[in-house]
Amino acid sequence: MAETTESESRKLLGRLRDTMAEQAAGQARLDKITHLTADSMMSEVCSIYLFRDEDTLELCATEGLKKEAVHETRMKLGEGLVGRVARTGKMVNTADAPAERGFRYMPETGEEIYSSFCGVPIQRLGEKLGVLVVQTKSKRVFTPDEVYALEVVAMVLAEMTELGAFVGEGAALSARHTAPAVFRGGAGQEGTAEGHVWLHEPRVVVTNFVTDDPETERARLTAAVEQLRVSVDELLEGASGTGDKEQMEVLEAYRMFANSKGWRRRMEEDIDLGLTAEAAVEKEQSQARARMSQVSDAYLRERLHDLDDLANRLLRILTGQGRETGAEMPRDPVLVARNIGPGELLDYGKKLRGVILEEGSVGSHAAVVARALAIPLVINATRITTEALNGDHVMVDGDNGVVHLRPGDTVVAAFRDKIAMQAKAQERYASIRRKPAVSPCGKRVHLFMNAGLLADLPSLKNSGAEGVGLFRTELQFLVRNQMPRRTELVTIYKRVLDSAGGKPVVFRTLDIGSDKVLPYMKPTDEPNPAMGWRAIRVGLDKPGVMRMQIQALLRASEGRPLTVMFPFVAQFEEFRAARREVDKAVAIERKLGHPVPETITVGTMLETPSLAYAPRQFFEEVDFVSVGGNDLKQFFFAADRENERVRRRYDTLNVSFLSFLELIVERCSETQTPLSFCGEDAGRPVEAVCLAAIGLHRLSMRPASIGPVKSLIMRTDLDALYDVICDARERGEQSVRESVMDYLRWQG
């Protein structure tokens, strides 16, 4: 087929369609396709290689090579020219294959007589499924038209593989989405869960690939693109009033792509060559996904994501497949999504057993909400959305960031044993729920819970927490599309205090910026947002929101005691300025004749090393200090906690970090300033007893951690543990963890 024409391409696609429509076994269909393709391209050989596992390709059908090599010839990813195509996702087209770098001769196939080689990847939406190859005896490079025809055949093969058209014997022809799969991502929120998959955005299934009427398909594409343009314009018009710069940028990118003549032209060319409108869109989408996996530039990757999202919207218009598929949500849903906003996650609420995201970060809005809802969350589970199907059995290990999809019996048994052990432990912890956390050496440790939603408050009673050591007020702002009114905040804060039943609640003022950007506030482009314009810095520079929030807290107290804490204070003057705002607000409330709290306790989070070295007057003036362990640790070690490469590199029980925390304990002790520790490490029993041993006797954590932490404290001699820590430090150990674990095992 040296002179491939559009009609010949359509003819080949038509013959492929007829082959697909025939009642035949998977192997017979593959054999027929290799014969048709070789015949149409006038090549002596056409072969199909499919993955039998993630690292191994298998020859599954051939026209021209020795038949006895089928299902016998295998190669590793990257091995030979076929393996190179599979590894890179890029075509190899050469007139002299034996002279090509990486060529590997497979004697059992009889391919030594063939010189030319053209291999294209078989892939769907960026997922590599195999390689399609044609070979000839004569030395020649295949023409662009021939390569295009081969790519179209590969796309049809990929779609039919997804639909199960080639199911047969052996691993390479096994049905897709049936085998067990393990995904190793990141831990977004601790906890374990078992349930069944619920896809946030069910995949669009294209079942009709080939057309005999290109004009009709062109008209369908034109109408769908026009509908897409209108919907994007409407979204832009609605977003323009919110001031959300990030959303506007995404929608502007949507508009740019929707009006792109090149994007439209490529799809129309595919239709002219025999594809339906939806098949042409999916072909373009698959190529964009393939490019996405090879692009390192963050901006370009985002734009390819935008193009991918837009293609999904166009496919939904063409196929009529919306998000509502009619499927019934399972009773034990585990949400699977590429990403999700905080409002959408809150809409699902606590009925979710777990959440698995293909993207995300430990500080993302979704992670913040998942922690507030105490739902196990795994982030960065690459390709989970293309592998999981609605209703698939799934097990989520939020502690280690691992997902078991369609697990085997052995994994299920082990996982259920782990869940059962955790349940038994919780029953055991229930017996000490109302007991104080007092160590055998007589030291009392006060345990508080973290919260951010009204839904968290029932845990105050059930967990045995002595109060709320951190109430994250930003969640009420993050889940809205516009700034909440003061009256709404008063109602929320009043309900929090009412639900607490007299137990203390520490309200942290708005902690926004860095990874928590409000959708209706103009974002700032900063190279390092975690160390940029955030938290108290935003509050002092734009005091209107902080004043409104303080006023809402004062009114919600209705004369009851009120505790307020300012986040991310780096120097004494920032605290003084924030404290002055509280004093002004109290004066205004008195002037208006409103009741004010009988006592107002104003503290700060210590999240930057600089504040530990503040003047003595700071520690004398502040009512309390709460160490924000998550941020303090990342700044102490200069290790971004959003960066998976480094965030686990440094140990909380590193002697340098523990010594720094001891310095903070000493400074607060000198002025008798109450001190607490709030962060993920407070909820980890081993870390918690070490924190208590060095003098941090007020810890705030997620409700589920209180039982395990209290249990270990009640069994650990903190004085003896402190001696173990000091001895390890004296020996020059980098971390005291090993010595501490030896001691804890010894004491039982």
Side-chain angles (χ1 to χ4, degrees):
M1 200 171 70
E3 296 294 328
T4 306
T5 65
E6 293 179 6
S7 60
E8 286 174 324
S9 292
R10 283 203 299 272
K11 191 183 298 181
L12 172 57
L13 283 172
R15 293 170 75 187
L16 284 174
R17 179 189 57 195
D18 294 341
T19 297
M20 292 297 100
E22 293 174 2
Q23 291 293 325
Q27 185 64 57
R29 280 179 170 155
L30 285 173
D31 293 340
K32 189 80 174 283
I33 289 170
T34 55
H35 174 75
L36 287 175
T37 305
D39 183 53
S40 296
M41 296 192 69
M42 298 181 184
S43 60
E44 286 96 345
V45 175
C46 176
S47 304
I48 296 171
Y49 298 82
L50 298 176
F51 279 103
R52 61 178 284 111
D53 58 50
E54 61 181 18
D55 294 316
T56 311
L57 287 153
E58 182 176 300
L59 176 63
C60 290
T62 187
E63 175 76 12
L65 298 182
K66 292 181 180 179
K67 292 295 183 182
E68 53 266 32
V70 173
H71 298 303
E72 294 298 325
T73 295
R74 294 170 187 169
M75 61 201 70
K76 290 294 183 182
L77 189 65
E79 183 181 3
L81 298 186
V82 173
R84 187 167 115 198
V85 173
R87 179 176 57 80
T88 63
K90 295 179 180 178
M91 171 193 68
V92 171
N93 184 6
T94 177
D96 189 1
E100 193 73 18
R101 177 180 57 85
F103 173 79
R104 186 191 167 202
Y105 169 53
M106 310 292 280
E108 71 274 15
T109 65
E111 65 178 345
E112 65 273 11
I113 61 176
Y114 303 106
S115 296
S116 67
F117 174 100
C118 185
V120 298
I122 301 170
Q123 54 190 2
R124 182 181 185 275
L125 302 181
E127 183 182 10
K128 296 165 185 173
L129 304 175
V131 179
L132 175 63
V133 175
V134 289
Q135 295 171 272
T136 64
K137 292 178 182 177
S138 61
K139 288 187 177 183
R140 72 181 185 88
V141 175
F142 288 83
T143 67
D145 284 342
E146 289 174 315
V147 170
Y148 178 86
L150 205 58
E151 287 175 339
V152 171
V153 174
M155 190 210 79
V156 174
L157 280 169
E159 294 301 328
M160 298 313 294
T161 300
E162 175 70 16
L163 292 171
F166 308 124
V167 175
E169 294 183 10
L173 297 185
S174 61
R176 287 177 53 72
H177 309 298
T178 57
V182 179
F183 298 85
R184 302 185 188 281
Q189 163 63 17
E190 297 169 346
T192 53
E194 178 181 5
H196 291 84
V197 168
W198 181 251
L199 293 171
H200 182 56
E201 286 192 337
R203 66 172 57 84
V204 177
V205 179
V206 176
T207 55
N208 185 22
F209 310 104
V210 185
T211 182
D212 294 322
D213 189 357
E215 289 304 314
T216 297
E217 294 304 308
R218 269 177 166 261
R220 289 181 65 226
L221 180 67
T222 298
V225 169
E226 185 57 36
Q227 186 178 335
L228 180 67
R229 284 176 181 160
V230 171
S231 67
V232 170
D233 287 342
E234 289 173 349
L235 287 170
L236 260 170
E237 188 177 341
S240 60
T242 67
D244 184 347
K245 183 182 175 183
E246 188 175 350
Q247 186 183 11
M248 292 289 288
E249 284 180 355
V250 170
L251 291 173
E252 287 290 359
Y254 280 3
R255 175 186 271 174
M256 178 185 72
F257 286 128
N259 288 282
S260 168
K261 292 180 180 178
W263 187 54
R264 173 88 168 267
R265 186 186 67 251
R266 288 193 298 272
M267 292 186 290
E268 288 176 341
E269 287 172 353
D270 290 333
I271 289 172
D272 290 341
L273 290 167
L275 294 183
T276 60
E278 50 264 51
V281 173
E282 187 152 288
K283 180 174 180 288
E284 182 67 20
Q285 185 183 30
S286 286
Q287 290 175 341
R289 285 261 183 113
R291 291 195 296 272
M292 203 184 303
S293 66
Q294 297 163 7
V295 170
S296 57
D297 183 85
Y299 176 80
L300 290 177
R301 282 183 63 84
E302 283 300 314
R303 297 293 71 81
L304 286 169
H305 268 312
D306 296 337
L307 184 58
D308 189 56
D309 289 337
L310 200 69
N312 267 333
R313 289 172 182 264
L314 191 55
L315 280 172
R316 292 189 191 284
I317 292 171
L318 283 165
T319 63
Q321 298 175 36
R323 288 189 180 183
E324 296 297 327
T325 63
E328 185 176 343
M329 182 183 286
R331 288 175 296 177
D332 51 359
V334 172
L335 187 70
V336 173
R338 196 171 83 186
N339 219 333
I340 191 170
E344 293 174 300
L345 187 52
L346 273 175
D347 286 342
Y348 283 106
K350 289 200 171 186
K351 62 187 171 188
L352 295 177
R353 294 286 182 89
V355 179
I356 307 165
L357 299 181
E358 203 163 273
E359 299 174 1
S361 66
V362 292
S364 66
H365 296 173
V368 171
V369 172
R371 287 188 202 109
L373 295 172
I375 298 172
L377 167 67
V378 172
I379 56 175
N380 299 320
T382 306
R383 305 213 61 78
I384 184 74
T385 57
T386 56
E387 179 59 33
L389 298 178
N390 270 339
D392 276 349
H393 186 202
V394 65
M395 291 178 151
V396 183
D397 182 352
D399 300 331
N400 298 300
V402 176
V403 175
H404 298 276
L405 184 66
R406 301 183 289 269
D409 293 342
T410 303
V411 173
V412 170
F415 204 88
R416 285 178 178 167
D417 284 345
K418 181 179 179 180
I419 293 175
M421 286 175 64
Q422 290 175 338
K424 285 181 181 178
Q426 289 298 332
E427 290 176 12
R428 191 167 67 248
Y429 303 143
S431 65
I432 60 172
R433 184 182 300 155
R434 306 202 184 284
K435 294 180 181 179
V438 180
S439 69
C441 60
K443 289 209 167 45
R444 170 75 184 271
V445 182
H446 300 274
L447 305 180
F448 296 82
M449 61 171 267
N450 299 333
L453 299 167
L454 284 167
D456 296 327
L457 272 300
S459 298
L460 186 55
K461 179 181 178 182
N462 300 332
S463 66
E466 297 178 49
V468 178
L470 168 65
F471 189 88
R472 304 181 185 91
T473 60
E474 61 271 9
L475 287 181
Q476 316 305 326
F477 290 77
L478 288 172
V479 299
R480 297 166 183 258
N481 292 321
Q482 60 185 17
M483 185 74 71
R485 295 185 177 89
R486 182 177 55 202
T487 52
E488 293 174 317
L489 294 178
V490 171
T491 300
I492 292 168
Y493 300 153
K494 180 181 179 301
R495 289 175 64 188
V496 170
L497 289 168
D498 291 345
S499 299
K503 289 185 176 181
V505 178
V506 179
F507 289 95
R508 182 179 68 187
T509 59
L510 196 57
D511 186 5
I512 57 169
S514 181
D515 54 330
K516 299 189 283 287
V517 180
L518 300 183
Y520 41 85
M521 284 185 74
K522 184 179 179 181
T524 56
D525 295 322
E526 297 181 300
N528 192 344
M531 299 176 73
W533 195 58
R534 54 173 290 202
I536 194 66
R537 298 167 182 177
V538 177
L540 293 176
D541 290 353
K542 302 284 185 182
V545 176
M546 185 165 73
R547 288 169 183 164
M548 177 187 74
Q549 189 178 27
I550 291 170
Q551 199 171 49
L553 286 165
L554 292 170
R555 294 183 182 182
S557 72
E558 296 182 332
R560 292 172 287 191
L562 178 66
T563 304
V564 178
M565 176 167 67
F566 292 108
F568 208 64
V569 172
Q571 59 185 9
F572 187 14
E573 182 50 40
E574 287 175 337
F575 173 73
R576 275 184 163 166
R579 181 67 188 252
R580 283 195 293 270
E581 291 295 338
V582 175
D583 294 339
K584 282 187 216 171
V586 171
I588 291 171
E589 290 301 292
R590 282 202 175 104
K591 192 173 181 179
L592 292 172
H594 297 156
V596 296
E598 62 181 64
T599 58
I600 303 177
T601 308
V602 182
T604 181
M605 296 199 80
L606 194 157
E607 298 165 282
T608 61
S610 62
L611 198 60
Y613 299 98
R616 179 184 175 91
Q617 291 94 319
F618 163 73
F619 291 95
E620 290 173 341
E621 288 188 21
V622 72
D623 292 330
F624 67 93
V625 171
S626 179
V627 174
N630 297 342
D631 265 333
L632 183 63
K633 185 177 169 184
Q634 77 165 337
F635 296 133
F636 184 83
F637 288 113
D640 185 357
R641 66 191 181 107
E642 298 292 333
N643 187 331
E644 290 296 326
R645 289 183 177 178
V646 299
R647 79 183 188 95
R648 295 183 183 275
R649 187 183 185 96
Y650 301 100
D651 190 359
T652 302
L653 302 188
N654 179 292
V655 293
S656 300
F657 190 57
L658 289 179
S659 296
F660 182 66
L661 291 176
E662 277 196 89
L663 168 69
I664 298 169
V665 171
E666 289 168 10
R667 297 222 62 190
C668 288
S669 296
E670 289 170 2
T671 54
Q672 296 186 323
T673 305
L675 175 65
S676 63
F677 185 99
C678 174
E680 294 173 8
D681 291 315
R684 296 182 176 128
V686 173
E687 283 84 343
V689 291
C690 290
L691 294 172
I694 65 172
L696 287 156
H697 295 154
R698 296 171 68 89
L699 306 175
S700 191
M701 63 203 73
R702 65 188 187 106
S705 297
I706 289 176
V709 169
K710 183 186 287 188
S711 175
L712 189 56
I713 288 171
M714 293 174 71
R715 292 183 284 115
T716 302
D717 185 323
L718 297 180
D719 289 337
L721 180 59
Y722 183 68
D723 290 339
V724 171
I725 292 171
C726 291
D727 289 344
R729 185 160 42 194
E730 286 297 318
R731 290 193 300 271
E733 293 180 10
Q734 179 172 286
S735 170
V736 304
R737 184 172 297 277
E738 187 175 339
S739 297
V740 166
M741 292 304 297
D742 287 344
Y743 170 74
L744 293 176
R745 282 190 287 266
W746 173 80
Q747 76 157 13

